[in-house]
Amino acid sequence: MDNAINQSVSNVSFISVNDMIQLLKRVGIENFISELVEYLEQDYLNWASFDKSPRFAAHSPEGVIELMPIGGDEKFSFKYVNGHPKNTQSGLQTVTAFGVLSDVATGYPLLLSEMTILTALRTAATSVMMAKYLAPKNATTMAMIGCGAQSEFQITAFSKVLGIKTIRLYDINPQAIQKCTENMMNKGLTLITCDSAQEAVKGADIITTCTADKKNATILTNSMITDSVHINAIGGDCPGKTELEIQLLSRADVFIEYEPQTRIEGDIQQLPSDSPITEMYRVINGELPGRTSPQQLTIFDGVGFAIEDYSALRYVYDLVNKHGNCQQLGLLVNPDDPRNLFGLTA
Ligand code: NAD
């Protein structure tokens, strides 16, 4: 009987947290991010072929739980993700996630993966891919404001892909700065601890804001920012959760992922609904320019869009097939007669 049931099951590739860590060790985190940037660019170039929608978000006073689906020609994916800024006070992550990649032709899931680490990797890869088009040429210094779970991934991506050498760190929590400094030590970077966001942005070519607070925070004010920098603002990603002063947004050229979602969730939720913005797929496909002059002030108002999770899952699935090292989960039924589902229960 048990044998009959076992034979009536088909498998889905499964990547646990431990599997993801092993995969990263095998590929190397820097290579992982660089290769993921290539997958992201391929998918952004195919923008028109995707079935897209803003994510489903269930808000509560402490946070948000979201589902992020997207359909391509050959694959479909979704991610389950939360955002609960107060979680760290009780020893929990602010963001946790898992996701599924499926085959469009059969509708069968192919891969079920942890996505907490993968989200940090894909967010860093996305930020640096956007910065390739938007940041000042020959940038060497980045301010990293918010030294939580995402921060080292961001620093790794910007140092590997854009050659950033100096990081100016600030967080309201000194232990977060210390943790980030210890993790990034001995990697050929100059790490400077700053006492305020104002101090951190001094001399920076790129400013990454990645803070977590469920409110309209003002991490960067208009007067703090000179022209000619690129701001990678990724912590404001929910209604009522922003990081940039409205006057700063109004002054800059703002680039986003997907307008129907970012108008609700991004820092631009503070602006009128017809304020000028550019969707990045149009820059990546060469239709519109990114940075056009050294003096330009650019902002990437990143909230995280489902296409990025799709790229990340697609990349992991290719890695798994190449290296053949993942678990198999008996998640799907496979009776000899597909119509005889009931027979499995008899
Ligand atoms: P985290 O809780 O681990 O870290 C957030 C850090 O921000 C903490 O160290 C906290 O002390 C610091 N902080 C809070 N307020 C601050 C302030 N006013 N000034 C300076 N530092 C401040 O969270 P995380 O996992 O690193 O995520 C950071 C943010 O990025 C969250 O808001 C999360 O929702 C967002 N996020 C966005 C994307 C995206 O695609 N755009 C993806 C993942 C996470």
Side-chain angles (χ1 to χ4, degrees):
M1 178 66 172
D2 281 354
N3 239 356
I5 288 177
N6 282 338
Q7 283 163 13
S8 307
V9 167
S10 69
N11 290 323
V12 173
S13 296
F14 173 56
I15 300 283
S16 67
V17 171
N18 281 336
D19 297 330
M20 184 62 75
I21 292 167
Q22 292 312 318
L23 198 59
L24 264 182
K25 286 195 171 140
R26 182 165 189 156
V27 177
I29 187 163
E30 294 187 345
N31 287 340
F32 191 108
I33 289 172
S34 313
E35 288 176 8
L36 181 48
V37 166
E38 288 172 26
Y39 276 66
L40 283 162
E41 279 180 324
Q42 286 163 11
D43 289 329
Y44 264 90
L45 282 170
N46 283 330
W47 183 261
S49 71
F50 285 94
D51 287 327
K52 301 177 278 297
S53 65
R55 58 189 158 202
F56 171 83
H59 296 279
S60 60
E62 303 301 346
V64 63
I65 296 177
E66 297 165 334
L67 284 180
M68 301 174 66
I70 191 160
D73 288 340
E74 291 178 9
K75 304 274 194 302
F76 171 95
S77 74
F78 75 85
K79 179 169 83 174
Y80 169 103
V81 62
N82 77 303
H84 285 67
K86 288 196 181 135
N87 270 5
T88 47
Q89 290 168 18
S90 45
L92 301 175
Q93 297 292 123
T94 296
V95 174
T96 58
F98 69 90
V100 170
L101 184 73
S102 299
D103 173 37
V104 164
T106 59
Y108 270 37
L110 301 167
L111 175 73
L112 169 62
S113 177
E114 90 76 40
M115 286 194 79
T116 305
I117 299 170
L118 192 56
T119 291
L121 290 158
R122 79 82 156 113
T123 303
T126 301
S127 285
V128 81
M129 175 187 67
M130 304 306 187
K132 274 172 54 180
Y133 299 90
L134 303 176
K137 294 265 168 301
N138 308 318
T140 58
T141 303
M142 178 166 92
M144 182 74 232
I145 302 177
C147 298
Q150 311 298 318
S151 60
E152 295 93 339
F153 295 88
Q154 291 283 326
I155 294 168
T156 303
F158 278 85
S159 75
K160 165 73 179 170
V161 179
L162 285 192
I164 294 298
K165 296 270 179 280
T166 301
I167 310 290
R168 300 177 63 82
L169 302 156
Y170 174 65
D171 194 294
I172 45 170
N173 181 333
Q175 285 165 348
I177 304 180
Q178 195 183 339
K179 173 235 32 165
C180 187
T181 304
E182 282 169 12
N183 281 334
M184 291 290 104
M185 236 177 236
N186 304 324
K187 293 188 189 291
L189 293 166
T190 304
L191 304 167
I192 299 168
T193 296
C194 301
D195 290 332
S196 65
Q198 181 128 23
E199 189 190 332
V201 302
K202 278 191 190 139
D205 307 300
I206 298 171
I207 301 163
T208 292
T209 56
C210 190
T211 64
D213 205 348
K214 204 166 187 322
K215 66 175 189 193
N216 291 114
T218 313
I219 308 298
L220 300 181
T221 62
N222 192 27
S223 62
M224 283 163 71
I225 305 300
T226 54
D227 285 344
S228 78
V229 302
H230 172 59
I231 299 174
N232 169 42
I234 55 168
D237 57 359
C238 264
K241 180 166 173 267
T242 54
E243 294 181 305
L244 308 180
E245 194 178 48
I246 188 167
Q247 291 82 356
L248 175 59
L249 284 164
S250 308
R251 191 181 122 211
D253 291 326
V254 179
F255 297 81
I256 64 167
E257 290 145 315
Y258 177 55
E259 184 166 8
Q261 184 176 304
T262 307
R263 284 280 178 206
I264 304 166
E265 299 183 350
D267 269 89
I268 59 164
Q269 66 188 265
Q270 303 174 81
L271 297 178
S273 59
D274 60 352
S275 65
I277 49 87
T278 303
E279 286 184 317
M280 275 306 292
Y281 80 92
R282 301 180 72 190
V283 175
I284 293 165
N285 72 15
E287 199 181 313
L288 292 174
R291 171 169 292 271
T292 49
S293 85
Q295 290 74 37
Q296 196 178 2
L297 172 60
T298 52
I299 295 177
F300 170 55
D301 182 7
V303 294
F305 182 51
I307 198 169
E308 295 144 18
D309 302 314
Y310 178 98
S311 306
L313 287 167
R314 198 165 68 75
Y315 174 52
V316 168
Y317 188 61
D318 285 354
L319 280 179
V320 159
N321 285 336
K322 187 167 150 195
H323 299 303
N325 60 335
C326 76
Q327 302 178 52
Q328 296 297 319
L329 264 192
L331 198 63
L332 306 173
V333 297
N334 187 25
D336 290 338
D337 175 0
R339 290 177 185 81
N340 194 11
L341 183 62
F342 190 80
L344 294 180
T345 69

